[in-house]
Amino acid sequence: MELSADSLTRIERYKILAGLVFPRPIALVSTRSENGIANCAPYSWFNAVCEEPPLVMISFGPRTDSNTKHSLANILRTGEFVVNLVDEAIANGMHISSEEFPESVSEFTKAGFTEAPGKVVAHPRVAEAPVSFECRLFQRIEISDARDIILGEVVHVYARDGLVDPDTKRVSEDGYFPVGRIFGTRYCTSRHRFALPGDLPD
Ligand SMILES: Cc1cc2nc3c(=O)[nH]c(=O)nc-3n(C[C@H](O)[C@H](O)[C@H](O)COP(=O)(O)O)c2cc1C
């Protein structure tokens, strides 16, 4: 099968891209809204894309009522946010937090997450997450009225004890079970792992 991208509708292009490019890592973005309520929501058009400076990338579409997502509005207002990584233990809460709740409702409460204070940024992180990156807004790329790409500079890292070797900074796979997004309500684990021959740096 071949498809001309021009012949596809917007939703068809979304289905093709998001349905074929998987598993995608999930950023559980946490911010505090202007009313002081803690907000979090998952974003799977996400990745780590640069180490010098250390950058993550997240792509934001609009809410179903066409308004700006609360996470993006909070990032643009404050210039800061937190990316929490998602493992099996918090997958269900992450999924619950994706519902489009009003700003008066905290997704932390709905998902059963605990707020932990940020060290460098003024937003809360998810205490139950295996890893959290405190980020400063590095660059906003306005793709269209309906799409913004945010590059965030990671300024502070939290990793659950035992995940990162304090001396070598090597990450241990043991006990670390990130969850990926397939599409829609489908997710996958990262339990089946394998190595191929070669001599690449860890
Ligand atoms: C696993 C998952 C991944 C998602 N990824 C994205 C994404 O990459 N970009 C996006 O705009 N919305 C994404 N969403 C939808 C948002 O999480 C959802 O619209 C959420 O209600 C936004 O909340 P907010 O307005 O509090 O930021 C995703 C939803 C799920 C369940």
Side-chain angles (χ1 to χ4, degrees), residues 39 41-45 59 61 63 69-71 98 100 181 187:
N39 174 83
Y43 289 87
S44 64
W45 280 20
S59 172
R63 282 171 75 98
K69 298 232 161 131
H70 296 161
S71 309
S98 72
E100 290 191 358
R181 181 153 199 219
Y187 297 95

Side-chain angles (χ1 to χ4, degrees), residues 105-138:
V105 172
S106 170
E107 290 86 359
F108 274 73
T109 310
K110 289 285 179 188
F113 292 150
T114 311
E115 290 177 41
K119 194 161 235 165
V120 179
V121 306
H123 295 297
R125 64 185 168 92
V126 174
E128 290 80 5
V131 176
S132 302
F133 297 139
E134 294 189 11
C135 300
R136 286 213 184 95
L137 176 58
F138 181 82

Side-chain angles (χ1 to χ4, degrees), residues 23 87-89 173-180 188-194:
D87 66 4
E88 294 171 17
E173 289 179 41
D174 297 340
Y176 185 39
F177 298 108
V179 163
C188 56
T189 68
S190 50
R191 280 186 180 262
H192 181 66
R193 303 172 188 189
F194 58 94

Side-chain angles (χ1 to χ4, degrees), residues 27-49:
L28 178 59
V29 174
S30 56
T31 50
R32 199 175 291 289
S33 296
E34 215 167 0
N35 59 11
I37 292 177
N39 174 83
C40 67
Y43 289 87
S44 64
W45 280 20
F46 156 72
N47 222 314
V49 290

Side-chain angles (χ1 to χ4, degrees), residues 40-92:
C40 67
Y43 289 87
S44 64
W45 280 20
F46 156 72
N47 222 314
V49 290
C50 185
E51 83 287 15
E52 185 77 4
L55 298 179
V56 293
M57 184 278 307
I58 305 170
S59 172
F60 291 88
R63 282 171 75 98
T64 45
D65 62 4
S66 298
N67 284 325
T68 304
K69 298 232 161 131
H70 296 161
S71 309
L72 177 60
N74 293 339
I75 292 169
L76 296 177
R77 191 185 72 256
T78 63
E80 300 178 334
F81 59 104
V82 180
V83 166
N84 306 275
L85 299 184
V86 177
D87 66 4
E88 294 171 17
I90 65 166
N92 194 47

